[in-house]
Amino acid sequence: MATTLLSSNATVSTPFLGQKLATHRVRVNSKKSSSWTLPPRLLNFRSPRCAVDAPFGGNISKFPRINVWDPFKRLGIGRNASEEEVWSARNFLLSQYAEHERSFESIEAAFERILMASFRNRKKTKINLKSQLKKKVEESPPWVKNLLNYVELPPGVIILRRLFLFGFMACWSVLNSADAGPAFQVAISLAACIYFLNDKMKSLFRAGITGFLALFVGWFLGSLLAPMIPTVLVHPTWTLELLTSLVVYFSLFLACTFLK
């Protein structure tokens, strides 16, 4: 003989609504088995929906031009916009729609397309400038071609090192202008110029001739240009010899750096 007992009331609470739902447990005892069952009206119970159940991004702003094909129109800028304007538009849009994944990817894709197009245009312009320069050299008179055969463009590091050396000599001459003339500094600069030329030409005689020729040209040009400088721009301790030596340093720098 089976007997049915009504157990004490139990409660089930939900963390979202803070409500307690009463349940009843019914125990069925028999000689063969015992089990716990819930009333039928609780078997179909569904928990209330909350914010967690909402789809991801449901409350996040979506970029309205996410599917616009033109990258400039997508960012809201003109085709003649500068690089600063492109960066500003990209940063402004990301500050508003960065939390929406598709919007973020759409803005970044448009920004990258504009940068790549700008890079290709710069590369084409650079190639065109080289082609135009080469064409002008080929169309130039023979004496210009022969002159360019003696000129080269060394790496930027070499240019900076030699510019620093001769600039140091010029500063040294200016600082010592009140004590003595720049003869010692000019001699050191001439020796350095011949050394650099010999390293390229592999001929000490030719390097020496070229160095003294650069010294003569610099001194000649300095003698012509120094008197033309307004006296207002010249320090009282700066002599004509000092001003001429500054042109000499520049001439020696050009000779040992750009001549083959």
Side-chain angles (χ1 to χ4, degrees):
M1 176 178 180
T3 60
T4 302
L5 297 177
L6 182 64
S7 65
S8 61
N9 293 340
T11 60
V12 177
S13 62
T14 171
F16 307 118
L17 301 179
Q19 298 177 352
K20 297 182 179 180
L21 304 177
T23 61
H24 300 276
R25 292 178 296 178
V26 179
R27 183 178 181 183
V28 179
N29 294 333
S30 63
K31 295 181 180 181
K32 297 182 179 180
S33 63
S34 63
S35 62
W36 291 90
T37 62
L38 290 175
R41 62 186 180 87
L42 294 178
L43 295 177
N44 297 325
F45 173 74
R46 297 177 64 184
S47 62
R49 297 181 63 85
C50 62
V52 179
D53 299 323
F56 177 75
N59 298 326
I60 299 177
S61 301
K62 181 180 178 181
F63 184 42
R65 299 187 297 273
I66 192 171
N67 294 323
V68 176
W69 182 84
D70 190 342
F72 292 93
K73 293 182 180 180
R74 190 184 302 176
L75 296 184
I77 57 178
R79 291 189 171 274
N80 297 326
S82 62
E83 186 174 351
E84 290 77 11
E85 293 175 342
V86 175
W87 276 94
S88 299
R90 175 251 187 190
N91 294 336
F92 174 75
L93 293 176
L94 286 183
S95 65
Q96 291 186 328
Y97 306 104
E99 295 182 0
H100 191 268
E101 184 177 358
R102 287 192 59 198
S103 299
F104 178 86
E105 294 175 354
S106 177
I107 296 169
E108 281 293 333
F111 174 72
E112 291 176 0
R113 285 177 60 186
I114 294 175
L115 286 189
M116 291 300 298
S118 176
F119 173 75
R120 287 193 296 267
N121 291 335
R122 290 179 182 178
K123 191 174 182 180
K124 289 181 180 179
T125 304
K126 187 176 180 181
I127 294 175
N128 291 335
L129 290 176
K130 289 183 178 180
S131 302
Q132 294 176 3
L133 181 61
K134 185 178 180 180
K135 184 177 180 180
K136 289 183 178 181
V137 171
E138 292 176 352
E139 296 176 353
S140 60
W143 67 271
V144 176
K145 295 181 181 180
N146 295 331
L147 182 62
L148 292 176
N149 291 332
Y150 294 97
V151 179
E152 67 176 359
L153 182 63
V157 177
I158 296 179
I159 296 176
L160 292 176
R161 288 177 180 176
R162 296 180 184 178
L163 182 63
F164 174 79
L165 173 62
F166 290 97
F168 173 78
M169 293 297 174
C171 294
W172 187 9
S173 301
V174 171
L175 294 176
N176 293 338
S177 59
D179 300 333
F184 180 69
Q185 291 86 346
V186 171
I188 295 178
S189 301
L190 176 61
C193 179
I194 294 175
Y195 172 80
F196 293 136
L197 289 171
N198 180 57
D199 186 56
K200 292 191 294 183
M201 298 178 178
K202 306 302 180 182
S203 173
L204 183 60
F205 176 78
R206 184 183 172 189
I209 295 297
T210 305
F212 277 101
L213 182 62
L215 175 65
F216 173 78
V217 172
W219 198 267
F220 177 76
L221 294 177
S223 301
L224 295 178
L225 297 176
M228 299 180 184
I229 302 176
T231 55
V232 180
L233 302 177
V234 180
H235 195 272
T237 60
W238 293 5
T239 62
L240 180 62
E241 183 182 9
L242 174 62
L243 297 176
T244 304
S245 66
L246 298 180
V247 182
V248 170
Y249 296 139
F250 185 70
S251 177
L252 294 174
F253 162 73
L254 294 179
C256 68
T257 305
F258 298 102
L259 291 181
K260 291 183 180 180

